Amino acid sequence: MHVRKWTHLARRVIPCQSCGAVIVAAGSARRMAGVDKIRADRGGEPLLVRTVRAFQETAVVKQIVIVTRPNLIGPVSAVCEAAGFSKVKAVITGGDTRQASVQLGLAALSGVRLAAVQDGARPLVTPELIDRVVELAARCGAAAPAVPVKDTIKVVDDRDTVASTPERARLRAVQTPQVFQADLLKAALQSALDAGAAVTDDCSAVERLGMKVRLVEGEEENFKVTTRQDLLLARAIVQGDLT
């Protein structure tokens, strides 16, 4: 893969390009202590419905593919139909890894130049945030939302001894949706797979090709529901129970 090829293509991206979204909801939820976070109630409806609705309501996203577990194909399809999510093109089975699930989702999109990848378990994402990230990706080819890190971060060695302390002012916690030229993301994920490279998110895959990823200001409430405590916090935010 010639890195400059993708840099050149990114400069030609224009804001009017169509965007499709891949919503990844195929995880095993091992840290949820038996609670299925995709179908968990959050303010009177399943968590995933809240996530999908943000993409349904923004004009910049033209189609949606949901990637989930085999046993959830029927239930997820049913709730999307009941909610009237007209942009949902397909609900498909994911792969063995998140990377494989994203690749399957990208393959199911059609006729889009930009691809947004969203964690299904980030139910507080807003249409406004999606718009900002897509707009930036349309100009530069690769973009993601991020928020400043509040805690001091320590790098440790294999004995859990502090090895270094990065400068907190330069650290950001990256969120989703992460938005890219669709062909660029497909090539980046395949390149990582061919090389056996472990990538922690889609930005990491694109960065391997030498592509710069621009960050836009994220939203504090756009956190990922990973534990039962996260689920309780999300419910409280929706119900206005925080004081």
Side-chain angles (χ1 to χ4, degrees):
M1 181 65 61
H2 202 294
V3 172
R4 284 186 299 174
K5 172 184 176 182
W6 294 115
T7 304
H8 174 63
L9 285 175
R11 286 196 296 266
R12 290 163 45 198
V13 178
I14 55 176
C16 63
Q17 290 185 68
S18 59
C19 180
V22 175
I23 299 179
V24 185
S28 60
R30 289 188 297 270
R31 286 175 284 183
M32 289 292 291
V35 176
D36 186 338
K37 64 183 178 181
I38 296 304
R39 289 188 289 180
D41 179 89
R42 203 215 72 173
E45 60 187 355
L47 179 151
L48 181 62
V49 170
R50 295 272 182 165
T51 306
V52 178
R53 180 173 291 116
F55 288 84
Q56 173 72 30
E57 292 181 350
T58 176
V60 299
V61 172
K62 306 304 180 184
Q63 59 184 270
I64 301 167
V65 170
I66 301 173
V67 187
T68 190
R69 303 192 298 274
N71 64 309
L72 292 183
I73 294 292
V76 169
S77 299
V79 297
C80 287
E81 183 176 356
F85 293 150
S86 58
K87 293 181 183 179
V88 175
K89 177 185 178 184
V91 179
I92 65 173
T93 301
D96 294 334
T97 64
R98 184 185 185 282
Q99 180 178 332
S101 294
V102 173
Q103 288 181 293
L104 290 167
L106 291 172
L109 292 174
S110 62
V112 298
R113 297 291 300 279
L114 297 173
V117 182
Q118 170 72 11
D119 295 323
R122 290 185 189 267
L124 295 167
V125 64
T126 64
E128 293 77 18
L129 177 60
I130 297 168
D131 289 347
R132 293 201 302 271
V133 184
V134 171
E135 180 182 358
L136 182 57
R139 297 200 307 266
C140 67
V147 293
V149 173
K150 297 185 179 68
D151 297 324
T152 297
I153 304 299
K154 301 291 185 180
V155 177
V156 300
D157 60 21
D158 55 6
R159 295 180 295 177
D160 284 338
T161 301
V162 174
S164 63
T165 303
E167 183 183 350
R168 187 171 61 184
R170 297 179 62 84
L171 298 178
R172 297 293 183 272
V174 179
Q175 304 175 333
T176 65
Q178 298 179 3
V179 186
F180 313 90
Q181 281 185 265
D183 288 345
L184 168 61
L185 181 56
K186 289 177 183 178
L189 291 172
Q190 188 60 48
S191 174
L193 179 63
D194 293 344
V199 291
T200 55
D201 66 353
D202 303 293
C203 287
S204 300
V206 169
E207 290 160 19
R208 287 189 67 255
L209 297 185
M211 185 71 187
K212 299 296 184 182
V213 179
R214 292 282 303 279
L215 298 180
V216 67
E217 183 178 357
E219 296 173 349
E220 292 291 344
E221 292 186 349
N222 184 31
F223 59 87
K224 186 175 182 180
V225 174
T226 304
T227 66
R228 296 191 70 168
Q229 289 73 22
D230 294 334
L231 182 60
L232 292 173
L233 176 58
R235 285 175 176 167
I237 291 172
V238 171
Q239 296 168 357
D241 292 339
L242 295 181
T243 58

